[in-house]
Amino acid sequence: MDVATAPAPLPSDGDRPVGLPAACTLAELLHAQDWARLQPIIDLGTAMVLLDLMDPVQVSQLRSRDPALLASHSPELVAQGLVPPDGLCHAHARVAGLPEADVRRFDLGDDAWTLLPLPAARAHEVVPLGSAMEQFYVASWCPTLSDLRSELCSITGRTVRLVWADRDAIRSRLDAQERLTRERANTPLPAAPTGTNGSGATAAGAPVPSAKPVPMVSLDDMVTDALVEVSAGSEQEQSASISQSSGVVRLVRKIIEDARRLGASDIHIETNPGEEITRVRLRRDGDLETYLQLPARLRASLVSRIKVMARLDISERRRPQDGKINFADFGGDKLELRVAVMPTHDGLEDVVLRLLAASRPIPLGKLGFQPRDEDTVARLSARSFGLILAAGPTGSGKTTTLHSMLAEINTDERKIWTAEDPIEITHPGLRQVQVNPKIGLTFASAMRGFLRADPDVIMIGEIRDDETARIAIEASLTGHLVLSTLHTNSAAESVVRLLDLGMDPMNFADSLLGIVAQRLVRGLCPHCAQRNRIAPGHFDRLVREYVDRSCLSVDEGRSRLLQAAGAVGPDEIVIFSPVGCEQCGGRGYKGRVGIYEILENDPTVRSLIQSRGRPTELFDAAVRAGMRSLRHDALEKLVQGRIDLRQAMAAYR
C-alpha cells in the first residue's frame, strides 16, 4: 500500500484518546464542536475501534480482505453482522467530526419544539436541541444520512447543524415529550389570577400553559413578526437589522415557496416612496397578479434579505445588480432564482426574481408542437451540421425548446457544449458553461473555446452581436450542429436581422437549417372550459382572419382550419371559453401553450437569402412550402380547444 494513502495506525487499548463526554447543554455542544475541529482526521476503521465496535485485529483483517467496506457508506458491514446499524452511523459521525449529545439529560426549551414540532421530529427520529450562533442544532442517530439536513432546514426555516445521539436515547426523549404534551393538553387552564396582564402571563412573568397545539404560522403572522423585529429608524438601520430578523427571513422564504407552489415564473417586489405600500406580484401563465401588499417599513429589510441570499452588495443602492440564489443553501427546495435589483427614484430599489425550476428538459412531444411541426424539429435536430435558431421575445420559451432538441440527440456518441446566461436547465452528459462578461467570458469567446474542444454540437444561449453570429455560422459550415436564439418577432425577421449584422448572405444561406419562432400564451383550464359551437358566419370571419396577410386563398384557409379541428363542416367546430373553478383558482386558465412558426430552409428560401430578399418574400415562400405562421398555428389551436380567441390573437398581434 502506498504510504501517502495508508490509513492511520489503529489505536491500541493503551493509547486510545479520551473524547469529551456527550453534551447536555448548548454551551457544552458548542465547546465539543470546537474540540472536534482540532482532532486529527480518522478513517472508518479507526472510528470502529475507538467506539469499541470492532477490535484492531478485526479491522486489520477487514482492510486486507475487503478495504472498500471501510471507504464508503455501504451497508454491507451491517449485512454481514459485523456492526449494528446505529453503530455504523455512530462511526460515520465520528469520522465526520460531529459532536455527541446526551438527549436524555439535554436541557431543551419549548422553543426547540416550536421550530421542529414533535410529529416531524418523530417522523425523522430526531430531537431538536435549540438555537445557538444563528444555527439550529438537531440530534440524530444517523446525522450523515443523505438529504436529512435539507429536509430539516425546509421544515424549520433555519440553518440546521446535525449532531449524533444514541438511537434509544432519542426514542426515549421523544416518548417523554409526547407524554408531556398529552399532560399539558389534558390539564384544564387555570382561572386567570388577579395579577395577569391579559397576555397569558402572570405579573411575575410566568407563562400560562396552553392546551392548544401550536398552529401553523400564517402569512399575516409572518408579516406581523417581521414588523415587530425590524428596527425603527432610517432605512439603512433597518437594512442592518436584517441579520437579526428571523421574521423577515421566514417571510422571504414563504414568498419564494408560495411562488413555486402557485406555478409562478417571476416574483416582482415593487417599492414606493414615503409610506406607500410595497407590492409583491407574481407572474403566472404570463400575467402579473398581486400576491401581497406590505407596509413601507419592511421594504428595506426585504430587499436587503434578498441581496444577502444572492451575495450582492447591501450598501450599493445606486446601480443595478444581478445575482443568483440557490434556495437549497437556505433550507429550501432544490430551486435556483435569478435576481435583478434595479434602483428607482428616491433611493429605493425594485427586485425581480426569476424562478429557474426546470432542472430537466421537457420532452419534445410535450412542448405543444403540432405533429407536423414536431416531425420537422426532430428532423432538423438530427442533422450533423448546420444552424438552427429559436426566435421570439423574452420569456417565450426559446431556451426550453433548444434544450428539448438537445435532449433528443444527447447520446454517448456526441460531444455537446453549451454557453448560457444563466444555466437554467441541466442535462447529464452536456458540458455547460456559464458566461461571465466581467471576466471576458462572453458567448463569442466561449464559442472560440468550444471549437478547440472537439465538439459535435454547440448551443449558444443568445446571438447578441456580429462576432457571435459570425463564429456560429463558421462553426456550422465546418461540420458542427449549432443552436442559438434571437430576439426577433418572426422567422423571416430573424433572417433580415442576421443579414443586417453583416453576415455574408451566401454563407448564411448555406449554414441555415431552420428557424423556430414562438410565443407562449395562457392555456384553458381543462376542468372548467366552456364549449361553444361556432356559428357559420363566425367561422367565415375566422377563415378571413386566418388567411389575412398571407398568400393563402380563402379555400385553403377553410380547408386547413377544418383539418386542424378534425371536422367535415363548420357546424362540427367547437371553440372554448374560460370560466373559472377551484382547479385554476377561478382564473379559467391553467398552464402555458406554445405557438410556433417553423421556417425550414429549402432551395427557394436559400435563393431569397442569397439575394437579400424582403421578409414578406421569405414569409410567402415558406408558407407556400407548408409553413404555418404564428397566426395559423394559434387559430388552429383555437379550433382544437386548446386556447381561447383572446389568447390566440395575443400570439400574433
Side-chain angles (χ1 to χ4, degrees), residues 59-71 74 76-77 80:
V59 173
S60 298
Q61 292 174 346
L62 190 60
R63 283 175 175 172
S64 302
R65 186 175 74 249
D66 193 356
L69 288 181
L70 297 174
S74 171
E76 189 63 24
L77 289 171
Q80 294 183 16

Side-chain angles (χ1 to χ4, degrees), residues 20 43 101 133 135 180 304 324 379 385 469 513 545 564 579 621 634:
L20 292 178
D43 64 359
M133 305 296 290
Q135 298 188 92
L180 179 61
S304 295
K324 199 170 187 179
R379 185 175 68 256
F385 63 90
L513 295 177
E545 180 73 18
V579 177

Side-chain angles (χ1 to χ4, degrees), residues 5-230:
T5 60
L10 296 172
S12 62
D13 291 335
D15 61 1
R16 296 186 187 183
V18 179
L20 292 178
C24 296
T25 65
L26 283 173
E28 292 179 1
L29 195 61
L30 293 175
H31 178 62
Q33 183 175 270
D34 293 336
W35 178 86
R37 293 194 184 105
L38 301 176
Q39 303 309 304
I41 299 174
I42 60 175
D43 64 359
L44 186 61
T46 304
M48 294 286 191
V49 175
L50 292 174
L51 296 174
D52 292 323
L53 296 170
M54 300 178 73
D55 59 49
V57 176
Q58 288 177 298
V59 173
S60 298
Q61 292 174 346
L62 190 60
R63 283 175 175 172
S64 302
R65 186 175 74 249
D66 193 356
L69 288 181
L70 297 174
S72 70
H73 281 67
S74 171
E76 189 63 24
L77 289 171
V78 177
Q80 294 183 16
L82 298 175
V83 294
D86 50 347
L88 181 61
C89 291
H90 193 183
H92 280 302
R94 179 62 65 89
V95 172
L98 301 181
E100 301 178 12
D102 184 353
V103 295
R104 284 193 174 94
R105 300 188 298 140
F106 205 96
D107 184 18
L108 300 182
D110 289 338
D111 59 328
W113 296 105
T114 302
L115 283 174
L116 185 60
L118 180 61
R122 188 175 287 283
H124 292 85
E125 215 165 13
V126 298
V127 173
L129 304 178
S131 299
M133 305 296 290
E134 298 186 356
Q135 298 188 92
F136 187 61
Y137 286 82
V138 179
S140 169
W141 68 276
C142 50
T144 60
L145 184 67
S146 177
D147 295 332
L148 176 60
R149 180 178 172 275
S150 61
E151 291 178 12
L152 295 176
C153 287
S154 179
I155 295 171
T156 63
R158 298 292 184 87
T159 301
V160 172
R161 177 65 64 95
L162 292 171
V163 302
W164 183 86
D166 179 76
R167 189 177 192 179
D168 291 337
I170 289 175
R171 290 173 173 175
S172 177
R173 190 60 188 264
L174 291 173
D175 291 341
Q177 184 63 27
E178 185 171 358
R179 288 193 299 271
L180 179 61
T181 302
R182 289 177 179 175
E183 290 173 2
R184 289 178 175 179
N186 294 328
T187 301
L189 290 176
T194 308
T196 58
N197 56 19
S199 63
T202 65
V208 177
S210 174
K212 296 181 179 180
V214 178
M216 294 288 291
V217 181
S218 68
L219 183 59
D220 290 341
D221 291 336
M222 290 183 182
V223 174
T224 302
D225 291 345
L227 282 169
V228 171
E229 295 177 5
V230 171

Side-chain angles (χ1 to χ4, degrees), residues 123 156 158 178 180 282 321 341 358 380 384 441 474 484 591 609:
T156 63
R158 298 292 184 87
E178 185 171 358
L180 179 61
L282 305 180
Q321 296 189 72
V341 182
L380 292 176
S384 57
L441 183 56
E474 291 173 357
S484 190
I609 295 174

Side-chain angles (χ1 to χ4, degrees), residues 223-454:
V223 174
T224 302
D225 291 345
L227 282 169
V228 171
E229 295 177 5
V230 171
S231 64
S234 68
E235 298 218 349
Q236 288 80 5
E237 292 170 339
Q238 293 173 17
S239 299
S241 72
I242 182 60
S243 61
Q244 312 300 325
S245 177
S246 60
V248 175
V249 171
R250 291 196 298 271
L251 178 60
V252 171
R253 177 188 175 91
K254 175 68 172 174
I255 292 172
I256 295 174
E257 288 177 340
D258 281 358
R260 182 173 190 181
R261 177 177 57 83
L262 296 171
S265 61
D266 301 86
I267 303 170
H268 292 247
I269 300 173
E270 302 164 341
T271 60
N272 294 292
E275 295 300 317
E276 294 187 36
I277 61 168
T278 292
R279 184 168 60 167
V280 181
R281 296 199 288 172
L282 305 180
R283 187 176 295 281
R284 298 175 63 194
D285 300 333
D287 290 347
L288 283 172
E289 304 173 355
T290 298
Y291 161 76
L292 184 64
Q293 298 186 90
L294 297 170
R297 193 152 58 94
L298 283 178
R299 64 192 177 202
S301 297
L302 189 67
V303 173
S304 295
R305 172 59 183 171
I306 294 172
K307 284 183 174 182
V308 168
M309 296 173 72
R311 297 179 175 85
L312 302 178
D313 186 355
I314 297 179
S315 62
E316 178 56 73
R317 305 174 71 178
R318 300 168 299 170
R319 298 184 178 91
Q321 296 189 72
D322 297 318
K324 199 170 187 179
I325 296 173
N326 186 350
F327 197 39
D329 291 344
F330 300 91
D333 298 330
K334 294 181 179 179
L335 171 68
E336 291 186 336
L337 301 100
R338 186 173 64 199
V339 180
V341 182
M342 183 63 62
T344 59
H345 59 97
D346 289 348
L348 301 177
E349 296 172 291
D350 278 15
V351 181
V352 178
L353 300 95
R354 168 67 57 86
L355 279 69
L356 310 176
S359 59
R360 291 290 184 268
I362 300 173
L364 201 61
K366 294 185 177 181
L367 289 181
F369 286 112
Q370 302 280 15
R372 60 174 184 276
D373 291 337
E374 184 181 340
D375 293 341
T376 301
V377 172
R379 185 175 68 256
L380 292 176
S381 58
R383 298 282 295 272
S384 57
F385 63 90
L387 177 64
I388 302 174
L389 298 173
T394 301
S396 59
K398 302 183 297 295
T399 301
T400 300
T401 298
L402 293 187
H403 274 283
S404 296
M405 297 172 69
L406 290 177
E408 292 288 313
I409 59 175
N410 183 16
T411 63
D412 292 340
E413 292 77 27
R414 288 186 174 92
K415 183 65 173 287
I416 303 177
W417 284 97
T418 76
E420 304 170 69
D421 184 21
I423 298 174
E424 300 184 20
I425 303 172
T426 57
H427 301 232
L430 264 61
R431 315 314 302 159
Q432 298 179 264
V433 175
Q434 170 77 54
V435 301
N436 187 354
K438 294 180 180 178
I439 62 173
L441 183 56
T442 62
F443 285 122
S445 62
M447 278 284 292
R448 288 192 294 269
F450 292 167
L451 293 175
R452 296 189 293 269
D454 190 28

